[in-house]
C-alpha cells in the first residue's frame, strides 16, 4: 500500500476518533439516559469544549472528501510521487495537531495549522491537475 493510501486510512481513523470525542463530550454533559433515549427533549446548549469538538469534526469533514478523492485519483492515475506522499503526511499530521488546538480554544496557531493541512491537500492535488 502506498504512503498516500496509508495516510488516507489513518485519516479515517482520525475522523472516527473525532466522532467519539464529540460524542463523549456531549454524553458527558447530557448523560447516558439522554444518549440512549430518543433525544426528543430540548437540551441546554453544549459546553464550549463540546461545541469546539463538534466544529473541529465538521471542519475535518469539509476537507476529508477532497483529500480522499485526491489520494485515490493520484493512485489510480499513477500520479503519486514524493510530493503526494509528503502532502498526505502533512495533511494528516496537521489534522491531528488541529484537534487539541481547537478543543482547547487556541487561536491563531490553530488557523495556521489548518493552513498547513490545506497546503498538504494542495500538494496531493497538484500532480493530478498537471
Amino acid at each position: 500500500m502506498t504512503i498516500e493510501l496509508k495516510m488516507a486510512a489513518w485519516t479515517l481513523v482520525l475522523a472516527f476518533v473525532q466522532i467519539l470525542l464529540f460524542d463523549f463530550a456531549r454524553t458527558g454533559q447530557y448523560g447516558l439516559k439522554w444518549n440512549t433515549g430518543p433525544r426528543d427533549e430540548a437540551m441546554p446548549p453544549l459546553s464550549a469544549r463540546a461545541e469546539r469538538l463538534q466544529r473541529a469534526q465538521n471542519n475535518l469533514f469539509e476537507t476529508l472528501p477532497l483529500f480522499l478523492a485526491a489520494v485515490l485519483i493520484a493512485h489510480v492515475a499513477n500520479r503519486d510521487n514524493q510530493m503526494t506522499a509528503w502532502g498526505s503526511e502533512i495533511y494528516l499530521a496537521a489534522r491531528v495537531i488541529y484537534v487539541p488546538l481547537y478543543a482547547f480554544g487556541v487561536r491563531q496557531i490553530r488557523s495556521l495549522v489548518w493552513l498547513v493541512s490545506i497546503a498538504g491537500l494542495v500538494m496531493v492535488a497538484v500532480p493530478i491537475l498537471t
Side-chain angles (χ1 to χ4, degrees):
M1 188 179 328
T2 66
I3 291 172
E4 295 86 348
L5 291 174
K6 288 178 185 175
M7 295 304 103
W10 281 108
T11 303
L12 293 176
V13 171
L14 174 63
F16 184 67
V17 167
Q18 285 194 245
I19 290 168
L20 291 177
L21 287 172
F22 170 62
D23 283 346
F24 289 154
R26 183 176 53 183
T27 300
Q29 181 176 341
Y30 293 159
L32 192 57
K33 184 178 178 184
W34 169 85
N35 191 19
T36 59
R39 302 179 185 182
D40 292 333
E41 64 275 0
M43 299 301 288
L46 288 168
S47 68
R49 173 130 335 119
E51 285 186 353
R52 288 192 299 266
L53 286 168
Q54 184 178 35
R55 288 192 301 272
Q57 174 189 321
N58 291 341
N59 187 278
L60 173 64
F61 290 173
E62 289 173 358
T63 61
L64 182 58
L66 303 174
F67 174 69
L68 294 175
V71 166
L72 291 175
I73 292 168
H75 181 73
V76 170
N78 200 27
R79 302 295 288 239
D80 40 5
N81 56 31
Q82 195 62 47
M83 180 186 286
T84 60
W86 287 342
S88 63
E89 292 171 330
I90 289 168
Y91 177 83
L92 175 58
R95 295 310 316 196
V96 167
I97 294 167
Y98 184 84
V99 175
L101 291 175
Y102 208 141
F104 292 105
V106 178
R107 299 172 187 254
Q108 286 88 22
I109 296 172
R110 182 198 85 221
S111 296
L112 290 174
V113 170
W114 180 84
L115 286 172
V116 170
S117 76
I118 296 303
L121 176 57
V122 168
M123 290 172 69
V124 176
V126 165
I128 65 175
L129 298 172
T130 58

